[in-house]
């Protein structure tokens, strides 16, 4: 392992237990920083309400660590919005944010637009499909940003079981993201969950980053943050176990293709090779090809959006 990565693991990898909640509250009060939590959601009525309820009860009512809790619905066909609102979140529809720019499907699109409807100095992203959710997922990754002025982005790390098999849930991480990072950005090799959807960052960093619109957003953000603020400004916190809905192999293939394309753009900023993926399904006459487009569009840094500059000046 690179000596720099070993040093980083020792200096920038923590446990949620390292920062008790009262320490975080004292640091928040002293620094005057506000915290926004964003849940990107698409058809998550079964889980989004429980997550919102825990955050409101534990981190807004019991202690005021979180100032703002927003669910951005990216076109749910179920009761995601109603459930989230009933649990106490402010719900905003993706298409209502920056309507002059037509929205495209994708998680990164939702995260990018969320910067326009939140105000926190620290923005914490949490996936809306988590089960057995703990407030540690938020307080753990927000903690270093409150107590360490030179830390700018914090990823959660955790075990990811697949059914009853421990540690087997991060299939795209192990088969795609980790090899890419180790080969091309070895300084990021110390991240346990580089693709995890639970992370927090300073707004001052997020607003300078481009956002891949799809599943490449986590890898793209990590790589771009490394180049912008350096390895020592990045950190990770152990928050335990992450249980969530798992996708099938073909969905993971599409996710992997988007992640690879995001890496490719950052490696060379070169010309397009072939932004599509062929997968196969068995039909009446044998295996039939299905072609899917791969997310290649990226949103620019939010500081380049006039509406964002106007909002900050208001």
């Amino acid at each position: 392992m690179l000596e720099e990565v070993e040093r980083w693991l020792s200096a920038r990898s923590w446990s949620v237990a390292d920062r008790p909640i009262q320490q975080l509250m004292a640091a928040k009060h002293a620094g005057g920083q506000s915290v926004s939590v964003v849940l990107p959601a698409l058809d998550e009525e079964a889980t989004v309400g429980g997550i919102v309820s825990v955050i409101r009860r534990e981190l807004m009512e019991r202690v005021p660590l979180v100032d703002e809790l927003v669910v951005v619905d990216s076109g749910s066909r179920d009761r995601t919005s109603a459930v989230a609102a009933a649990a106490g979140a402010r719900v905003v529809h993706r298409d209502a944010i920056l309507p002059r720019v037509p929205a495209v499907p994708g998680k990164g699109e939702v995260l990018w637009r969320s910067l326009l409807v939140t105000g926190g100095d620290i923005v914490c992203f949490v996936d809306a499909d988590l089960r057995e959710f703990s407030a540690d997922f938020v307080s753990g990754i927000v903690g270093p940003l409150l107590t360490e002025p030179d830390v700018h982005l914090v990823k959660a790390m955790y075990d990811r079981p697949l059914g009853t098999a421990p540690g087997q849930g991060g299939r795209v991480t192990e088969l795609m993201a980790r090899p890419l990072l180790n080969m091309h950005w070895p300084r990021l090799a110390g991240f346990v969950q580089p693709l995890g959807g639970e992370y927090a960052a300073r707004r001052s960093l997020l607003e300078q980053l481009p956002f891949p619109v799809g599943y490449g957003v986590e890898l793209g953000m990590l790589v771009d943050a490394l180049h912008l603020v350096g390895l020592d400004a990045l950190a990770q916190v152990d928050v335990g176990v992450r249980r969530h809905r798992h996708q099938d192999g073909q969905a993971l293939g599409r996710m992997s293709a988007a992640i690879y394309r995001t890496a490719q753009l950052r490696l060379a900023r070169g010309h397009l090779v072939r932004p599509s993926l062929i997968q196969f399904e068995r039909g009446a006459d044998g295996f039939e090809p299905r072609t899917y487009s791969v997310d290649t569009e990226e949103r620019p840094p939010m500081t380049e959006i006039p509406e964002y500059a106007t909002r900050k000046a208001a």
Side-chain angles (χ1 to χ4, degrees):
M1 182 180 292
L2 287 174
E3 183 178 333
E4 185 179 9
V5 175
E6 290 184 344
R7 178 194 56 77
W8 178 84
L9 279 168
S10 175
R12 286 290 185 257
S13 294
W14 294 294
S15 165
V16 66
D18 291 335
R19 292 176 178 81
I21 194 70
Q22 292 309 318
Q23 179 186 353
L24 301 188
M25 291 307 304
K28 183 174 188 284
H29 179 74
Q33 299 178 86
S34 56
V35 177
S36 298
V37 175
V38 172
L39 276 68
L42 176 64
D43 295 331
E44 302 293 358
E45 68 172 337
T47 51
V48 68
I51 299 170
V52 169
S53 295
V54 169
I55 295 172
R56 279 209 67 89
R57 182 179 67 251
E58 302 293 330
L59 301 178
M60 299 181 80
E61 296 168 359
R62 185 168 297 174
V63 293
L65 182 69
V66 172
D67 302 282
E68 183 178 38
L69 176 54
V70 178
V71 170
V72 182
D73 191 328
S74 58
S76 296
R77 293 163 295 181
D78 64 4
R79 298 182 61 253
T80 290
S81 289
V83 170
R90 176 162 64 93
V91 179
V92 184
H93 196 281
R94 174 199 63 196
D95 296 348
I97 307 170
L98 197 64
R100 73 170 177 85
V101 178
V104 297
K107 179 183 179 182
E109 177 83 354
V110 174
L111 301 184
W112 181 71
R113 289 174 186 263
S114 75
L115 297 181
L116 274 161
V117 293
T118 55
D121 303 303
I122 295 168
V123 182
C124 174
F125 298 120
V126 176
D127 281 351
D129 66 342
L130 303 189
R131 296 182 283 110
E132 302 176 26
F133 178 77
S134 165
D136 289 347
F137 275 77
V138 173
S139 60
I141 56 179
V142 166
L145 296 167
L146 293 171
T147 62
E148 310 290 332
D150 54 347
V151 171
H152 290 257
L153 184 149
V154 182
K155 297 279 293 189
M157 57 177 167
Y158 33 66
D159 296 316
R160 294 184 66 184
L162 180 61
T164 59
Q168 298 299 308
R171 292 165 289 172
V172 176
T173 292
E174 299 304 330
L175 297 174
M176 176 59 70
R178 200 176 307 286
L180 282 172
L181 292 176
N182 276 266
M183 287 187 291
H184 300 298
W185 296 280
R187 288 188 295 164
L188 296 174
F191 276 94
V192 175
Q193 297 292 350
L195 299 185
E198 291 68 48
Y199 50 99
R202 300 191 190 281
R203 178 176 294 271
S204 57
L205 170 62
L206 292 172
E207 65 188 11
Q208 297 181 68
L209 298 176
F211 277 61
V213 299
Y215 283 118
V217 64
E218 274 84 25
L219 183 135
M221 188 177 295
L222 204 55
V223 170
D224 293 341
L226 173 67
H227 293 307
L228 195 62
V229 296
L231 182 60
D232 284 340
L234 312 179
Q236 59 185 350
V237 174
D238 187 349
V239 297
V241 179
R242 184 187 198 267
R243 302 184 188 278
H244 65 112
R245 168 176 49 81
H246 292 285
Q247 301 195 55
D248 63 33
Q250 292 207 335
L252 297 181
R254 297 190 289 274
M255 187 184 303
S256 296
I259 290 165
Y260 179 78
R261 179 57 180 156
T262 299
Q264 182 190 49
L265 286 171
R266 278 151 181 77
L267 282 168
R269 296 291 175 184
H271 38 265
L272 200 61
V273 177
R274 187 172 180 271
S276 59
L277 174 73
I278 295 176
Q279 295 180 318
F280 294 88
E281 296 178 7
R282 185 183 290 278
D285 299 319
F287 285 103
E288 300 173 356
R290 299 284 187 272
T291 301
Y292 298 91
S293 61
V294 175
D295 295 317
T296 58
E297 188 171 356
E298 298 196 1
R299 294 306 190 188
M302 193 56 81
T303 50
E304 298 178 11
I305 302 299
E307 288 89 341
Y308 187 76
T310 300
R311 171 187 169 281
K312 291 189 74 174

